mmCIF file with all atom_site columns, all heavy atoms in Angstrom:
data_model
loop_
_atom_site.group_PDB
_atom_site.id
_atom_site.type_symbol
_atom_site.label_atom_id
_atom_site.label_alt_id
_atom_site.label_comp_id
_atom_site.label_asym_id
_atom_site.label_entity_id
_atom_site.label_seq_id
_atom_site.pdbx_PDB_ins_code
_atom_site.Cartn_x
_atom_site.Cartn_y
_atom_site.Cartn_z
_atom_site.occupancy
_atom_site.B_iso_or_equiv
_atom_site.pdbx_formal_charge
_atom_site.auth_seq_id
_atom_site.auth_comp_id
_atom_site.auth_asym_id
_atom_site.auth_atom_id
_atom_site.pdbx_PDB_model_num
ATOM 1  N N   . ARG B 1 156 ? -27.230 59.668 80.212 1.00 0.00 ? 156 ARG B N   1
ATOM 2  C CA  . ARG B 1 156 ? -27.864 60.049 78.946 1.00 0.00 ? 156 ARG B CA  1
ATOM 3  C C   . ARG B 1 156 ? -27.053 61.112 78.231 1.00 0.00 ? 156 ARG B C   1
ATOM 4  O O   . ARG B 1 156 ? -26.889 61.073 77.017 1.00 0.00 ? 156 ARG B O   1
ATOM 5  C CB  . ARG B 1 156 ? -29.253 60.611 79.223 1.00 0.00 ? 156 ARG B CB  1
ATOM 6  C CG  . ARG B 1 156 ? -30.225 59.554 79.587 1.00 0.00 ? 156 ARG B CG  1
ATOM 7  C CD  . ARG B 1 156 ? -31.499 60.209 80.006 1.00 0.00 ? 156 ARG B CD  1
ATOM 8  N NE  . ARG B 1 156 ? -32.351 59.266 80.691 1.00 0.00 ? 156 ARG B NE  1
ATOM 9  C CZ  . ARG B 1 156 ? -33.345 59.613 81.476 1.00 0.00 ? 156 ARG B CZ  1
ATOM 10 N NH1 . ARG B 1 156 ? -33.592 60.881 81.674 1.00 0.00 ? 156 ARG B NH1 1
ATOM 11 N NH2 . ARG B 1 156 ? -34.087 58.703 82.042 1.00 0.00 ? 156 ARG B NH2 1
ATOM 12 N N   . GLY B 1 290 ? -51.789 68.621 58.561 1.00 0.00 ? 290 GLY B N   1
ATOM 13 C CA  . GLY B 1 290 ? -52.087 67.186 58.567 1.00 0.00 ? 290 GLY B CA  1
ATOM 14 C C   . GLY B 1 290 ? -53.585 66.952 58.579 1.00 0.00 ? 290 GLY B C   1
ATOM 15 O O   . GLY B 1 290 ? -54.311 67.591 59.324 1.00 0.00 ? 290 GLY B O   1
ATOM 16 N N   . ARG B 1 500 ? -59.721 14.769 49.791 1.00 0.00 ? 500 ARG B N   1
ATOM 17 C CA  . ARG B 1 500 ? -58.695 13.857 49.302 1.00 0.00 ? 500 ARG B CA  1
ATOM 18 C C   . ARG B 1 500 ? -57.300 14.448 49.443 1.00 0.00 ? 500 ARG B C   1
ATOM 19 O O   . ARG B 1 500 ? -56.319 13.822 49.091 1.00 0.00 ? 500 ARG B O   1
ATOM 20 C CB  . ARG B 1 500 ? -58.952 13.541 47.814 1.00 0.00 ? 500 ARG B CB  1
ATOM 21 C CG  . ARG B 1 500 ? -60.167 12.679 47.600 1.00 0.00 ? 500 ARG B CG  1
ATOM 22 C CD  . ARG B 1 500 ? -60.287 12.339 46.140 1.00 0.00 ? 500 ARG B CD  1
ATOM 23 N NE  . ARG B 1 500 ? -60.849 13.441 45.363 1.00 0.00 ? 500 ARG B NE  1
ATOM 24 C CZ  . ARG B 1 500 ? -60.334 13.886 44.218 1.00 0.00 ? 500 ARG B CZ  1
ATOM 25 N NH1 . ARG B 1 500 ? -59.248 13.341 43.739 1.00 0.00 ? 500 ARG B NH1 1
ATOM 26 N NH2 . ARG B 1 500 ? -60.903 14.870 43.558 1.00 0.00 ? 500 ARG B NH2 1
ATOM 27 N N   . GLY B 1 541 ? -63.854 21.669 57.439 1.00 0.00 ? 541 GLY B N   1
ATOM 28 C CA  . GLY B 1 541 ? -62.755 22.018 58.343 1.00 0.00 ? 541 GLY B CA  1
ATOM 29 C C   . GLY B 1 541 ? -63.243 22.688 59.606 1.00 0.00 ? 541 GLY B C   1
ATOM 30 O O   . GLY B 1 541 ? -62.439 23.118 60.424 1.00 0.00 ? 541 GLY B O   1
ATOM 31 N N   . LEU B 1 554 ? -60.892 38.346 50.762 1.00 0.00 ? 554 LEU B N   1
ATOM 32 C CA  . LEU B 1 554 ? -59.987 39.491 50.732 1.00 0.00 ? 554 LEU B CA  1
ATOM 33 C C   . LEU B 1 554 ? -60.307 40.313 49.495 1.00 0.00 ? 554 LEU B C   1
ATOM 34 O O   . LEU B 1 554 ? -60.044 39.889 48.372 1.00 0.00 ? 554 LEU B O   1
ATOM 35 C CB  . LEU B 1 554 ? -58.535 39.014 50.708 1.00 0.00 ? 554 LEU B CB  1
ATOM 36 C CG  . LEU B 1 554 ? -57.482 40.111 50.667 1.00 0.00 ? 554 LEU B CG  1
ATOM 37 C CD1 . LEU B 1 554 ? -57.662 41.062 51.831 1.00 0.00 ? 554 LEU B CD1 1
ATOM 38 C CD2 . LEU B 1 554 ? -56.102 39.516 50.702 1.00 0.00 ? 554 LEU B CD2 1
ATOM 39 N N   . ASP B 1 594 ? -66.243 45.890 25.436 1.00 0.00 ? 594 ASP B N   1
ATOM 40 C CA  . ASP B 1 594 ? -67.599 45.389 25.645 1.00 0.00 ? 594 ASP B CA  1
ATOM 41 C C   . ASP B 1 594 ? -68.661 46.443 25.342 1.00 0.00 ? 594 ASP B C   1
ATOM 42 O O   . ASP B 1 594 ? -69.810 46.118 25.080 1.00 0.00 ? 594 ASP B O   1
ATOM 43 C CB  . ASP B 1 594 ? -67.764 44.932 27.107 1.00 0.00 ? 594 ASP B CB  1
ATOM 44 C CG  . ASP B 1 594 ? -67.123 43.586 27.330 1.00 0.00 ? 594 ASP B CG  1
ATOM 45 O OD1 . ASP B 1 594 ? -66.717 42.964 26.326 1.00 0.00 ? 594 ASP B OD1 1
ATOM 46 O OD2 . ASP B 1 594 ? -67.015 43.162 28.506 1.00 0.00 ? 594 ASP B OD2 1
ATOM 47 N N   . LEU B 1 688 ? -73.384 51.163 57.218 1.00 0.00 ? 688 LEU B N   1
ATOM 48 C CA  . LEU B 1 688 ? -72.483 52.096 56.544 1.00 0.00 ? 688 LEU B CA  1
ATOM 49 C C   . LEU B 1 688 ? -72.439 53.475 57.189 1.00 0.00 ? 688 LEU B C   1
ATOM 50 O O   . LEU B 1 688 ? -71.619 54.295 56.794 1.00 0.00 ? 688 LEU B O   1
ATOM 51 C CB  . LEU B 1 688 ? -72.901 52.246 55.077 1.00 0.00 ? 688 LEU B CB  1
ATOM 52 C CG  . LEU B 1 688 ? -72.436 51.137 54.139 1.00 0.00 ? 688 LEU B CG  1
ATOM 53 C CD1 . LEU B 1 688 ? -72.988 51.355 52.760 1.00 0.00 ? 688 LEU B CD1 1
ATOM 54 C CD2 . LEU B 1 688 ? -70.925 51.095 54.067 1.00 0.00 ? 688 LEU B CD2 1
#
Side-chain angles (χ1 to χ4, degrees):
Chain B
R156 286 173 195 161
R500 290 184 281 132
L554 180 56
D594 282 351
L688 279 176

